[in-house]
Amino acid sequence: MTTAPVPSPASPPPPSPPASRVRKSVTGTRAYLAAGFLLPALVLLGALVVYPIGYSVYRSFFDQSGDGFAGVDNYKTLFTDDTILTAVKNNAIWVVCAPTIATALGLIFAVLTERVRWGTAFKLIVFMPMVISMLAAGIIFRLVYEQDPDRGVANAVWVGVHDTFAESAGFPRAHPLPAAPLKPGGGGSFVTKDAVHAGQPALLPLVGVTADKMPSSAKAAKTPAADPGKITGTAWLDFTKGGGGTPNTIDSKELGLKGIKIEAVREGQVVASATARADGTFTLPAKADGAQLRLPPGNFREPYNGVNWLGPSLVTPAIIGSYIWMWAGFAMVLIAAGLAGLPRELLEAARVDGANEWQVFRRVTVPLLAPVLAVVLVTLMINVLKIFDLIFIIAPGSSQDDANVLALQLYRSSFGTDADLGVGSAIAVLLLVLVVPVMLFNIRRMRREARR
């Protein structure tokens, strides 16, 4: 009987070559070579970022001169000084409102422009403000919010809409001369000194209206014709351009007060009213006989001058509006890029299952875009914490304290004749503390996305 050959023992594996003493990275780059390339960047990072942060923290514990140790007094000032507290409050408003509204508008624009033929042109128009510097945008919106409707676009539109639905102003600052047949009637009105009678034309001369404030369609004033059964009269600007003319007399170069309202008042009751024609003439019925004529105060009120956009109460919302005008396009472009990468089959499946467009948007599109929305929101939050240019340029000196934010207060505290570098450094540290949590959240989110 033959026996199976006994297998020889396995030979030991060949010894592995000695490990190289020079460590290499995953890409095969030597560690010292990588460190050499990174060293200039690390030096710049330390000189431009790490050292200023460290020195700001150090300086925040010293007084205005920098010689005396102040402890935490500078930080106490941040929460006791009214101006700085206003800056903190305004920063909170900025962080909550500006990124949220800009992101929401960007989402709406991105979704809607997918459904229109001219979507690309619309995106280009919305994104164009991003190419404008903060300085230029501030100058633009300082003019947009100008109080004078003849210069400020916002008030020009607002006044136009107001005057469409409300009676426009008449002749502000118009008044009679002492020798005129008119006298103050109380409440800003003027009344005739004597009662008027049918067949005796009534003359109502006024002065105090500049030529540029007269209606463009006003005509040369005419002497009213007597009418035995009615009250006739003329209301006109008793001023001859270039001089000359006779008071209380209608001269050839004088204009009628077109549109001025005249009321006939007897025993405190208005019995009739009329509106002057282009030549200033008017006619009242016979029942006005024996009454006094009154020019009501509505003829002389100041014209509606719009909204004080840069006043203490509206300056912060107005500047936030200019910021949204610039950054809504940024949000739209990022969200549109995320929207282009969504799986279309999920959207179509939701529509097939009976969901309407609002349900598809709210329950499918928005959840799928959540990572992109988080990127946009966090980026804008970091950006608004540093906002300075727009407020410094747009807010006038009278409202700058009301529009104040931490970055602007940092500048105001650190420069100028009354500079306090201790308080300025404390504000800088506070801004750093506010930015760090947002940055950490963003870093964690990016790592979480990378692991997926």
Side-chain angles (χ1 to χ4, degrees), residues 213-270:
K213 297 297 182 182
M214 289 291 291
S216 58
S217 55
K219 297 180 180 179
K222 291 183 178 180
T223 302
D227 190 332
K230 297 180 180 179
I231 303 295
T232 59
T234 301
W236 83 100
L237 179 63
D238 193 14
F239 172 78
T240 302
K241 194 173 181 179
T246 305
N248 301 331
T249 302
I250 299 175
D251 297 301
S252 59
K253 295 182 180 180
E254 295 174 348
L255 298 176
L257 296 173
K258 179 186 177 182
I260 197 168
K261 188 175 181 181
I262 303 99
E263 296 175 342
V265 181
R266 183 185 295 115
E267 297 179 355
Q269 300 295 321
V270 177

Side-chain angles (χ1 to χ4, degrees), residues 86-176:
T86 300
V88 173
K89 181 193 73 175
N90 287 339
N91 256 107
I93 295 173
W94 271 89
V95 169
V96 171
C97 298
T100 304
I101 298 174
T103 304
L105 285 177
L107 176 61
I108 294 171
F109 291 156
V111 172
L112 293 182
T113 50
E114 277 203 331
R115 301 174 177 274
V116 294
R117 183 178 302 174
W118 38 268
T120 302
F122 180 82
K123 288 179 182 177
L124 178 63
I125 293 172
V126 175
F127 187 75
M128 278 179 62
M130 278 294 298
V131 306
I132 302 175
S133 69
M134 286 281 195
L135 173 65
I139 294 172
I140 291 170
F141 274 88
R142 181 64 184 268
L143 294 175
V144 168
Y145 292 135
E146 185 71 39
Q147 179 69 34
D148 185 357
D150 293 332
R151 298 179 61 190
V153 176
N155 264 343
V157 174
W158 192 269
V159 170
V161 173
H162 174 273
D163 289 348
T164 301
F165 298 98
E167 186 179 357
S168 59
F171 303 94
R173 300 186 183 89
H175 61 277

